[in-house]
Amino acid sequence: MDIWQILMTPFSWLLKLFCQVFDSYGIALFLFTIVVKIVLFPLNLKGKKSIIKTTVLNGQLQEIQKRCGNDKERYNQEVQKFYAENNASPMGGCGWSFLPIVFLYPLYAIIRRPLKYMMWLTEDAVTAVAHALGWADFTIGGYNELILGSMMNAGNLETAKAAVGAAAASVFVINFDFFGIDLSQVPKLNFWEGGVTWGAVGLFLLPLISAGLSVVSMLVSQKTNQMNKDQQVKTNWSLMLMSPLISLWIGFAMPAGLCIYWIANSLLGMVQEVICGAMPRQDYEAAQLEMAEQQR
């Protein structure tokens, strides 16, 4: 077991557990996302509080702008001082929104190489399994290991186990079928080539659904940042577009399993945003009182 296998162990063990218990790769990815959301909840709540506080401070920043006029140097100095005095950040906690992306690398590695990270096989053992299943020119790289994992089934499982010898106990069949969609495949823009089937159409739709839900999730986040009807929340269109574009690129460039993660992340993110938006209301009211006191 190399250093990367050791570092990936918590992620791979969790995904493997869900795969074996529920016999569904798609369900395993949904449950994996739920665990990630629960672990990150305190950090997301902190980010939401920071965003709300920054929104409350925007009124004061506008007054600083009026007072300083075109003197940009004075404006920047006063803004920095203002943020320091109020223990706030100009980013307003937006960085927490990108935490799920941090989990994409280990998840991508596990999806791309399931036999290495979920079954803990060496490269020689993986090659031995490929040869035993009839893939004579198999090489490590690309998505070959993922394709090999999708080739394994109940009929040839014992053959695969025999090929790895002592490591046979860790070899198992991964069910990549998710409502008729093969999650081991990479979605294609030209889905009609080779015949229009639900599997091909479903693969094509997953990145679009993923990108659409990313937009809805950002809108829900913006709405929960608004604590009262009179408060205006400025829309950051660069951030609004970044997440959907990233999910769309990932969707058509990598195996469909990552789309399932992204979709689950957006759905659960909306629920989390509603919860995180409701919890800091006391903090919001306290910040409003503090601002009123400062103005007096």
Side-chain angles (χ1 to χ4, degrees), residues 18 26-41 44-45 48 97 100 107 209-210 213-214 216-218 220-221 224 259-277:
F18 290 146
I27 292 175
L29 288 170
F30 262 97
L31 295 175
F32 178 91
T33 311
I34 290 174
V35 173
V36 169
K37 282 293 183 184
I38 292 173
V39 171
L40 293 180
F41 181 79
N44 280 286
L45 180 59
K48 176 62 71 174
S97 303
L107 185 59
I209 295 171
S210 173
L213 285 175
S214 292
V216 176
S217 179
M218 295 290 285
V220 170
S221 176
T224 56
C259 278
I260 297 298
Y261 166 77
W262 205 273
I263 289 171
N265 182 68
S266 294
L267 290 172
L268 294 169
M270 285 185 270
V271 176
Q272 182 174 266
E273 282 295 323
V274 173
I275 296 173
C276 288

Side-chain angles (χ1 to χ4, degrees), residues 14-84:
L14 189 62
L15 197 56
K16 177 179 179 179
L17 175 66
F18 290 146
C19 279
Q20 291 182 317
V21 171
F22 296 95
D23 190 31
S24 172
Y25 196 58
I27 292 175
L29 288 170
F30 262 97
L31 295 175
F32 178 91
T33 311
I34 290 174
V35 173
V36 169
K37 282 293 183 184
I38 292 173
V39 171
L40 293 180
F41 181 79
L43 299 179
N44 280 286
L45 180 59
K46 181 179 179 180
K48 176 62 71 174
K49 289 181 177 181
S50 180
I51 290 173
I52 290 171
K53 184 172 183 179
T54 301
T55 304
V56 171
L57 298 176
N58 281 340
Q60 296 285 59
L61 290 174
Q62 290 175 4
E63 291 187 8
I64 294 176
Q65 176 71 59
K66 292 177 182 178
R67 187 168 65 248
C68 295
N70 294 326
D71 190 344
K72 293 184 179 180
E73 183 177 353
R74 180 188 170 195
Y75 172 76
N76 291 332
Q77 291 175 351
E78 291 204 24
V79 167
Q80 290 178 2
K81 180 181 178 182
F82 179 75
Y83 277 127

Side-chain angles (χ1 to χ4, degrees), residues 137-148:
D137 59 346
F138 174 85
T139 56
I140 299 292
Y143 299 123
N144 286 351
E145 195 171 313
L146 180 63
I147 296 170
L148 179 61

